[in-house]
């Protein structure tokens, strides 16, 4: 049965989003093999992951604004070309510096095509009901992409070697590029096309995001309470504050403050940031616990995370959109995050006395997966609610930026907490437990922000009138 034009567009756009999220996690499982092959130091090894995360987080707003200014399909193709080429070169890396550099180029390419793909999706499905279903598929693919990276990373490493976790992107990228003429051009309106890129804003937000992630990553060596950690966090916040100041004064800002300061858009991004601080450490901590405590192989570890991926996918693709249509976005976000917190609390408590995968890992990860899967499409819909079409690329870039920054910072914090527990005489299992419980507290802060900031259905209807 042939796909309709809309179905083909949805498949192409969701495939690229899947790959963008997949590549954040696909190198996590083969890190020991990469270290042995290229001679990474233990401290430098984390930048195989963080170079990608920082690049995509730092330049997503630039990619979103470029898509709005220069045409969505044009920017989508350019970003995917760069991502595919960097994946090919990265697989041939012969030194740590080359691999980190190509991972950063991958992240920059993903930062270009991801917001462009998001705005193209909105153009293909303009009707609210169909748009919500398409966004459900989009968020399901995004939610499962991170977990699929862990699963595929294990299989590919065991069967073909670590270089193929990068080369696997090449045939996928080339296939999507070959079919990309089916996508709408996504031309910007005349007013937007007359603008220019805010390069200084892009450099400031990228530098702030990179410094923030480095502050927590470096705390692995100096400690979370070290003055250097506080100094780096202060520098990161200063750079981000300067970014906000610049955005209020340039003629064509990278992030128009009027868009972010809307209750629905700004609130959704704050919730996304805090909720995603739990995503990175949950997957990494569980993967490490299965390998180091339970003795699982890379492939078996990936399979052990499959139930969480299924829970993500089913909740995001079917239950989430149906509940949004019936209840609105805010109740679904609140309910989903309550389940997410409950799953994390259950997982954190059971990891402290890790007995088996079925008893200690399965229940908490499935409940957390359902909760996150319900909330994810709801805050995505809230993030674009009422945003003008000319700013859809920007809105998509903002949401993915908060997602990537949250995951990168959460991963760094989780590693630092685990190491601090070990340094204090605790066991590895106790360190993993503490990391997950800290993540649950951050998600609880996101829940409080959702309740306080996001408008209810009555407030949205009043604003629309």
């Amino acid at each position: 049965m042939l796909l309709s034009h809309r179905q083909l567009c949805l498949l192409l756009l969701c495939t690229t989003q899947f790959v963008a999220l997949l590549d954040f996690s696909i190198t996590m499982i083969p890190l020991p093999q990469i270290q042995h092959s290229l001679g990474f130091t233990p401290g430098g090894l984390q930048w195989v992951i963080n170079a990608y995360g920082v690049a995509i987080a730092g330049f997503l707003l630039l990619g979103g604004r470029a898509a709005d200014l220069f045409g969505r399909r044009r920017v989508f193709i350019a970003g995917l070309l760069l991502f595919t080429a960097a994946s090919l070169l990265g697989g041939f890396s012969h030194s740590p510096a080359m691999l980190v550099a190509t991972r950063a180029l991958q992240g920059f390419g993903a930062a270009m095509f991801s917001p462009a793909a998001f705005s193209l999706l909105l153009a293909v499905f303009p009707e609210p009901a169909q748009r919500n279903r398409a966004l459900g598929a989009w968020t399901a693919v995004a939610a499962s992409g991170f977990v699929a990276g862990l699963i595929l990373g294990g299989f590919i490493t065991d069967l073909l070697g670590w270089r193929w976790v990068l080369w696997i992107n090449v045939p996928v990228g080339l296939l999507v590029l070959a079919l990309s003429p089916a996508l709408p051009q996504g031309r910007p309106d005349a007013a937007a096309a007359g603008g220019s890129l805010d390069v200084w804003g892009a450099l400031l937000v990228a530098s702030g995001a990179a410094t923030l992630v480095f502050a927590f990553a470096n705390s692995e060596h100096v400690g979370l309470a070290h003055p250097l950690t506080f100094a780096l966090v202060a520098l990161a916040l200063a750079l981000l504050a300067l970014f906000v100041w610049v955005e209020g004064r340039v003629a064509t800002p990278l992030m128009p403050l009027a868009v972010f300061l809307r209750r629905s858009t700004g609130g959704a991004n704050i919730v996304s940031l805090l909720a995603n601080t739990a995503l990175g450490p949950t997957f990494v901590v569980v993967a490490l616990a299965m390998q180091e405590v339970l003795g699982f192989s890379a492939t078996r570890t990936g399979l052990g995370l499959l139930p969480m991926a299924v829970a993500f996918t089913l909740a995001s693709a079917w239950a989430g959109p149906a509940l949004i249509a019936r209840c609105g976005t805010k109740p679904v976000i609140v309910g989903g995050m309550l389940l997410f917190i409950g799953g994390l609390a259950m997982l954190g408590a059971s990891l402290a006395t890790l007995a088996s995968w079925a008893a200690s890992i399965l229940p908490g990860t499935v409940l957390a997966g359902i909760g996150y899967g319900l909330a994810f499409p709801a805050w995505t819909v809230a993030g674009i609610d009422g945003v003008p079409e000319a700013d859809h690329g920007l809105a998509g870039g903002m949401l993915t930026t908060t997602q990537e920054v949250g995951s990168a910072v959460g991963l760094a914090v989780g590693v630092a907490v685990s190491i601090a527990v070990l340094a204090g005489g605790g066991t590895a299992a106790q360190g993993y437990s503490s990391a997950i419980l800290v993540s649950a507290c951050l998600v609880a802060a996101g829940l409080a922000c959702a309740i306080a900031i996001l408008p209810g259905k009555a407030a949205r209807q009043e604003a629309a009138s």
Side-chain angles (χ1 to χ4, degrees):
M1 182 179 177
L2 295 177
L3 295 174
S4 68
H5 179 259
R6 280 188 167 188
Q7 289 172 330
L8 176 60
C9 290
L10 179 63
L11 177 62
L12 294 177
L13 297 172
C14 285
T15 297
T16 56
Q17 181 68 357
F18 179 84
V19 169
L21 271 295
L22 173 111
D23 262 70
F24 185 79
S25 60
I26 198 169
T27 55
M28 290 179 180
I29 298 289
L31 283 177
Q33 291 84 351
I34 294 172
Q35 182 178 19
H36 177 75
S37 175
L38 298 182
F40 271 93
T41 63
L45 190 62
Q46 63 183 308
W47 287 101
V48 176
I49 301 169
N50 283 339
Y52 181 84
V54 168
I56 192 173
F59 291 102
L60 270 166
L61 291 177
L62 181 69
R65 180 49 71 195
D68 291 335
L69 292 176
F70 305 129
R72 282 70 185 262
R73 189 172 73 181
R74 182 182 302 170
V75 173
F76 174 83
I77 291 173
L80 189 56
L81 275 171
L82 178 60
F83 177 86
T84 305
S87 300
L88 179 64
L89 290 174
F92 288 106
S93 294
H94 53 76
S95 68
M98 182 176 178
L99 181 58
V100 170
T102 52
R103 287 285 287 164
L105 280 176
Q106 278 186 298
F108 184 79
M112 295 297 107
F113 74 67
S114 183
F118 184 83
S119 55
L120 285 170
L121 182 76
L122 301 182
V124 173
F125 297 95
E127 303 87 355
Q130 292 182 342
R131 171 177 291 183
N132 286 348
R133 285 194 292 269
L135 286 173
W138 172 271
T139 53
V141 165
S144 61
F146 192 97
V147 181
L150 296 173
I151 297 170
L152 290 176
F155 276 120
I156 293 171
T157 301
D158 284 345
L159 293 175
L160 301 172
W162 70 265
R163 296 181 186 274
W164 281 96
V165 302
L166 299 173
W167 286 336
I168 194 68
N169 296 319
V170 177
V172 177
L174 292 176
L175 179 61
V176 174
L177 286 167
L179 297 174
S180 61
L183 298 171
Q185 292 190 11
R187 291 190 180 95
D189 58 32
S196 60
L197 282 177
D198 175 18
V199 177
W200 282 111
L203 292 175
L204 284 170
V205 73
S207 300
T211 304
L212 187 62
V213 173
F214 178 74
F216 291 105
N218 189 62
S219 70
E220 175 185 351
H221 308 291
V222 301
L224 281 171
H226 195 277
L228 179 59
T229 302
F230 286 106
L232 288 171
V233 170
L235 176 60
L237 295 178
L239 288 169
L240 294 174
L242 183 58
F243 163 70
V244 173
W245 183 83
V246 168
E247 295 308 280
R249 284 157 178 79
V250 295
T252 54
L254 190 66
M255 184 186 75
L257 296 182
V259 174
F260 184 79
L261 292 177
R262 297 178 67 258
R263 283 184 64 187
S264 183
T265 303
N269 277 275
I270 292 171
V271 170
S272 173
L273 176 70
L274 291 168
N276 279 290
T277 57
L279 199 62
T282 298
F283 290 122
V284 175
V285 163
V286 171
L288 288 173
M290 284 193 282
Q291 291 184 82
E292 296 184 3
V293 180
L294 297 179
F296 281 22
S297 67
T299 299
R300 195 177 175 194
T301 298
L303 290 174
L305 290 166
L306 187 59
M308 191 173 187
V310 173
F312 265 161
T313 303
L314 294 179
S316 295
W318 287 286
L323 288 172
I324 293 167
R326 177 176 296 183
C327 306
T329 55
K330 184 172 182 176
V332 177
I333 292 171
V334 171
M337 291 185 72
L338 282 171
L339 292 176
F340 190 26
I341 294 166
L344 291 173
M346 185 186 302
L347 179 63
S350 62
L351 283 177
T353 54
L354 185 56
S356 67
W357 172 81
S360 302
I361 292 175
L362 179 62
T365 54
V366 169
L367 183 60
I370 293 171
Y372 184 90
L374 291 174
F376 191 6
W379 75 58
T380 302
V381 172
I384 63 165
D385 187 26
V387 175
E389 184 177 353
D391 290 324
H392 277 168
L394 168 68
M398 288 167 61
L399 283 167
T400 314
T401 296
T402 53
Q403 177 181 323
E404 295 290 345
V405 171
S407 292
V409 171
L411 176 58
V413 171
V415 170
V417 168
S418 297
I419 290 175
V421 171
L422 286 172
T427 64
Q430 289 170 337
Y432 299 147
S433 171
S434 298
I436 295 298
L437 292 175
V438 168
S439 296
C441 293
L442 292 172
V443 178
L447 173 62
C449 290
I451 294 171
I453 300 174
L454 290 175
K457 184 179 292 187
R460 291 201 314 272
Q461 290 174 347
E462 182 179 347
S465 62

